Amino acid sequence: MSEPAPPSGVVRHGHFRYESGHHGDVWLELDLLASYPERLGAAARELARRLADQEADLVCGPLEGGAFVAQWVAAELGLRFGYTRRGAGGRYAAPDSPDLRGMRAIVVDDAVNAGAAVIATARELERRGCTVAALGAVMAGSHSGTRVGARLGVPYVYLHEIAGTLWEPAVCPLCARGVPAEG
Ligand SMILES: O=P(O)(O)OC[C@H]1O[C@H](OP(=O)(O)OP(=O)(O)O)[C@H](O)[C@@H]1O
């Protein structure tokens, strides 16, 4: 079964300046993805199908976009749902209630780029007494997002690999060609 393609306009090509300070040639319009619930639901159903053998109790995603997908995947699998929220210093925290001790968790995000959100979410779940069983994402960036499962040492399902390159600003070839950067 082939996975549903992201809606047109979600993956943009050009010259962009990211929050990390890097420059790159791909931008993901994740709010646009979230605005098509039918398409997001199709992606979540496909993720759920591929993650169904993980014997998990909980699906957890980072707010905002990751949690939208995680909740849908949890509903498809008949599992509990949780979320994390970014706080100071890049830490992601889950709400104090419910008690998550002893649960097997799948971490789900809409997009994984550097992997900061899913890794911090996995660390928080472990701190709260969960075992992280697997990772799922609708989209994963080819520069590092596709390798985050290996970094966490868990099975990783992503539906779309988004080809893109990151550069330090000083060596950005698009800057060298005088292409204006967005972001
Ligand atoms: O792999 P990473 O480099 O961490 O990037 C991926 C994260 O970035 C986006 O969230 P963002 O921080 O923009 O928050 P939002 O969902 O509230 O827009 C996206 O929803 C992922 O959670």
Side-chain angles (χ1 to χ4, degrees):
M1 177 176 170
S2 70
E3 57 273 5
S8 144
V10 169
V11 182
R12 289 179 53 211
H13 299 275
H15 180 198
F16 304 101
R17 199 179 290 114
Y18 304 131
E19 259 182 56
S20 64
H22 291 92
H23 286 203
D25 54 4
V26 173
W27 187 269
L28 299 177
E29 295 286 0
L30 297 174
D31 291 336
L32 181 62
L33 176 68
S35 79
Y36 287 92
E38 218 170 288
R39 302 287 284 274
L40 198 62
R45 280 191 293 279
E46 181 61 11
L47 279 177
R49 189 183 71 79
R50 297 198 203 176
L51 291 162
D53 60 355
Q54 292 300 325
E55 297 182 355
D57 307 295
L58 172 80
V59 183
C60 182
L63 286 170
E64 297 164 345
F68 294 152
V69 186
Q71 188 172 45
W72 210 311
V73 173
E76 286 293 324
L77 292 173
L79 302 178
R80 300 278 296 276
F81 160 70
Y83 63 86
T84 57
R85 189 191 300 277
R86 183 169 48 218
R91 183 171 166 249
Y92 279 67
D96 289 341
S97 176
D99 183 356
L100 304 178
R101 277 177 297 183
M103 291 193 183
R104 273 176 65 80
I106 299 171
V107 176
V108 163
D109 210 339
D110 51 355
V112 176
N113 293 316
V118 288
I119 290 171
T121 294
R123 296 292 170 249
E124 168 67 355
L125 290 171
E126 288 166 352
R127 191 185 71 81
R128 296 286 297 275
C130 293
T131 300
V132 175
L135 174 62
V138 180
M139 295 179 279
S142 63
H143 50 81
S144 54
T146 54
R147 294 192 288 277
V148 175
R151 282 173 65 190
L152 286 174
V154 296
Y156 181 18
V157 173
Y158 53 87
L159 301 184
H160 303 283
E161 178 172 345
I162 307 299
T165 310
L166 281 184
W167 300 282
E168 294 293 340
V171 297
C172 174
L174 300 172
C175 286
R177 286 183 4 225
V179 180
E182 294 180 52

